[in-house]
Amino acid sequence: DAKTTQPPSMDCAEGRAANLPCNHSTISGNEYVYWYRQIHSQGPQYIIHGLKNNETNEMASLIITEDRKSSTLILPHATLRDTAVYYCIVDGVGTSGSRLTFGEGTQLTVNP
Amino acid sequence: DTGVSQDPRHKITKRGQNVTFRCDPISEHNRLYWYRQTLGQGPEFLTYFQNEAQLEKSRLLSDRFSAERPKGSFSTLEIQRTEQGDSAMYLCASSPSGRPAGGYTFGSGTRLTVV
């Protein structure tokens, strides 16, 4: 799986949009971009995934650049409960099982 | 279905003792994964089952570790002769076949402390 690079930490004001970047410059054509988050002392929680088109669900939006070398997770109106570690993962083998490779993620702190 | 359940939530054991953790996946999920997470790090893959077959094992899974999934339902992870370096959060996840629309579902983990 391709390697991802994320900033170790970010801050955001409550009610504002949180934009979390991820670099995956070695991504290959069949690899998807996944985002998970982990709130302290809980297991990771799936947020969203995409291949090349932008995606939106009830939790977040995922913007993938045209060359697919980077992406941004957008939480449109961050709340205090969005404080968590956010992991960007590139996964090319999801259709056949196997592992997700987590990096160290971005610690997002939402401030009141 | 209440999601992926793990038991116990916390385990403190003395070095050299054996411990066993249990994971109950979402009932219709045929894939089950074990991960280990140490403080400040992301989860690391340990092993993966499709139904009852163990299809992949990480090099992290030393011979002191064994995982089973009898009948393709719940799974157990056993650590024999525990060492202080085994202290970590052990996470279980499950998913259906194919690329799951909702990603993998993780449990809340079992936190192991070896003293």
Side-chain angles (χ1 to χ4, degrees):
Chain A
D1 294 333
K3 180 178 170 57
T4 62
T5 304
Q6 298 177 254
S9 64
M10 293 184 65
D11 285 275
C12 176
E14 188 178 19
R16 303 297 294 270
N19 298 286
L20 290 90
C22 180
N23 185 293
H24 32 79
S25 57
T26 60
I27 194 170
S28 60
N30 66 342
E31 290 182 316
Y32 283 69
V33 179
Y34 278 78
W35 284 83
Y36 283 77
R37 73 179 183 184
Q38 188 172 24
I39 296 169
H40 184 60
S41 296
Q42 297 182 21
Q45 176 191 24
Y46 166 82
I47 302 173
I48 198 167
H49 75 279
L51 182 61
K52 51 185 176 182
N53 296 322
N54 297 338
E55 302 287 345
T56 296
N57 63 19
E58 65 279 2
M59 290 183 69
S61 295
L62 174 60
I63 309 298
I64 303 174
T65 58
E66 192 169 345
D67 63 9
R68 303 212 318 124
K69 293 184 177 182
S70 65
S71 61
T72 301
L73 178 75
I74 301 172
L75 308 178
H77 305 286
T79 71
L80 299 179
R81 287 179 291 182
D82 292 322
T83 292
V85 178
Y86 287 77
Y87 296 101
C88 169
I89 299 164
V90 170
D91 172 31
V93 295
T95 55
S96 62
S98 196
R99 67 209 181 289
L100 296 174
T101 302
F102 288 81
E104 296 184 357
T106 296
Q107 170 67 58
L108 175 69
T109 303
V110 181
N111 301 304
Chain B
D1 196 338
T2 57
V4 177
S5 299
Q6 292 189 246
D7 183 70
R9 289 296 310 276
H10 303 275
K11 178 72 176 179
I12 300 174
T13 191
K14 292 184 178 179
R15 189 177 53 177
Q17 298 294 305
N18 299 344
V19 293
T20 300
F21 311 139
R22 177 179 171 122
C23 172
D24 287 89
I26 291 174
S27 55
E28 60 266 28
H29 287 181
N30 62 351
R31 293 178 178 170
L32 187 147
Y33 310 79
W34 284 98
Y35 286 78
R36 182 177 73 183
Q37 185 174 26
T38 53
L39 202 61
Q41 303 297 312
E44 296 173 293
F45 170 79
L46 291 178
T47 190
Y48 149 63
F49 290 85
Q50 175 135 338
N51 300 312
E52 66 276 10
Q54 188 173 19
L55 297 185
E56 187 173 351
K57 291 194 289 187
S58 163
R59 59 179 176 79
L60 294 175
L61 211 67
S62 75
D63 56 5
R64 296 185 297 105
F65 288 70
S66 62
E68 294 182 341
R69 192 183 181 197
K71 303 178 183 177
S73 56
F74 71 92
S75 176
T76 58
L77 178 68
E78 181 183 17
I79 308 174
Q80 296 182 326
R81 305 181 303 282
T82 53
E83 302 172 356
Q84 287 189 319
D86 297 331
S87 295
M89 174 79 84
Y90 290 84
L91 292 160
C92 176
S94 70
S95 74
S97 297
R99 184 174 295 282
Y104 302 87
T105 303
F106 283 82
S108 295
T110 293
R111 180 165 296 283
L112 173 67
T113 302
V114 182
V115 297

